[in-house]
Amino acid sequence: MAILEITDLKHPGVELFSTLTEAQLRNRMEPEKGIFIVESPKVIRVALDAGYQPVALLCERRHIEGDAADIIQRCDDIPVYTGSRELLADLTGYTLTRGVLCAMRRPTPQRIETICKDARRIVVIDGVVDTTNIGAIFRSAAALGIDAVLLTTNSCDPLNRRAVRVSMGSVFLVPWTWIEGDISQLHGLGFKTLAMALTDNSLPLDAPILKQEERLAIVMGTEGDGLPKETIANADYVVRIPMAHGVDSLNVAAASAIAFWELGGK
């Protein structure tokens, strides 16, 4: 392995962790060259176990023979950049939560047909842009029996650094990909669509007919405006979570956990 001491913020190679924005790391024009950043030893281990390819490590000196020692052994053919906690914070623009970052190669996006082939319960995330909510939805999906995640292209990238950290690596455990166009295309894969929305004719979440469906796509909308009207109109079911005290809705991450618990495979 090559352990490289950083003495200034312009050290060759560290731009992966400093000057590149999330959009530049993602590299939409050439997805096969895209990079994402994973934070904390625990989450890095989940990514490695899932087969993701590391490119470079950045860690505080004390972690080289500490929390990151096993990771460095597993990634013995990539550069390991190290320095003081203060210098690394200046480099990245934030204090490293667990003292270790790993730059990893983006995987090739999978086809919808591939990840949904054997799935019974999937979630479609429509226009959710908050990184914390994306991470929380993935964590609930992994824990509560959701087989795959589809995201509309106006949603937050699941491999955003903060989304990955909030998910505790769950983004590496549940197959996911992007979906373009109307969700009615999922009918061709054998799914009934279920829009989570408050309407006059919404079914309660515990309606028996929902659990009888062999394959369900649960569609979750944005934090503010909810799902588009056309998505609701074209759904096979429109479903609400019963509320008390006049509360009209829940945060999308909280709502997804409840929906997955009730309808997922667990």
Side-chain angles (χ1 to χ4, degrees):
M1 80 193 77
I3 297 180
L4 306 171
E5 183 79 19
I6 298 172
T7 56
D8 61 64
L9 304 184
K10 296 182 180 180
H11 192 102
V14 299
E15 63 276 2
L16 288 175
F17 302 100
S18 58
T19 60
L20 298 183
T21 65
E22 288 283 353
Q24 289 170 325
L25 287 169
R26 184 170 171 181
N27 199 347
R28 286 179 180 270
M29 299 302 293
E30 297 180 272
E32 69 281 0
K33 295 183 180 179
I35 298 292
F36 67 99
I37 304 298
V38 184
E39 186 175 1
S40 92
K42 181 177 180 179
V43 180
I44 293 169
R45 292 185 191 103
V46 175
L48 292 173
D49 290 345
Y52 284 77
Q53 179 185 353
V55 174
L57 277 167
L58 180 73
C59 68
E60 297 174 24
R61 294 190 194 98
R62 62 194 178 99
H63 291 307
I64 292 176
E65 296 182 359
D67 289 349
D70 64 307
I71 295 171
I72 292 172
Q73 289 181 349
R74 294 178 65 175
C75 306
D76 60 359
D77 58 346
I78 65 173
V80 179
Y81 300 103
T82 189
S84 68
R85 183 177 180 84
E86 295 73 23
L87 180 62
L88 299 191
D90 288 342
L91 174 70
T92 60
Y94 51 88
T95 299
L96 276 61
T97 304
R98 298 296 179 188
V100 187
L101 296 180
C102 185
M104 290 189 156
R105 187 74 62 195
R106 271 184 180 272
T108 302
Q110 297 188 70
R111 291 170 51 85
I112 294 174
E113 294 82 358
T114 301
I115 71 168
C116 291
K117 181 180 178 181
D118 299 316
R120 292 186 62 253
R121 295 290 186 266
I122 66 174
V123 60
V124 180
I125 300 174
D126 189 332
V128 177
V129 298
D130 183 86
T131 56
T132 299
N133 283 335
I134 290 291
I137 292 171
F138 266 87
R139 192 170 183 181
S140 294
L144 300 173
I146 299 301
D147 301 311
V149 179
L150 305 180
L151 302 100
T152 59
T153 54
N154 61 336
S155 295
C156 171
D157 175 19
L159 296 182
N160 172 282
R161 178 183 61 86
R162 182 168 175 78
V164 170
R165 180 164 65 83
V166 171
S167 81
M168 291 301 293
S170 295
V171 296
F172 309 127
L173 303 178
V174 184
W176 65 271
T177 196
W178 303 101
I179 182 171
E180 297 187 53
D182 196 283
I183 62 168
S184 61
Q185 64 186 279
L186 297 175
H187 291 152
L189 298 178
F191 288 93
K192 291 292 184 68
T193 55
L194 182 158
M196 297 295 298
L198 294 170
T199 67
D200 293 338
N201 60 347
S202 295
L203 291 172
L205 184 62
D206 60 355
I209 191 173
L210 302 177
K211 290 189 177 181
Q212 294 170 11
E213 290 290 355
E214 182 64 24
R215 309 183 88 187
L216 270 180
I218 304 166
V219 189
M220 312 293 301
T222 66
E223 298 87 340
D225 299 329
L227 291 170
K229 291 181 179 179
E230 59 270 22
T231 298
I232 297 172
N234 293 331
D236 296 300
Y237 299 105
V238 182
V239 175
R240 70 181 185 279
I241 297 172
M243 302 284 179
H245 300 293
V247 176
D248 62 353
S249 64
L250 294 173
N251 167 276
V252 65
S256 69
I258 294 171
F260 299 164
W261 169 258
E262 184 67 31
L263 301 174
K266 293 188 285 292

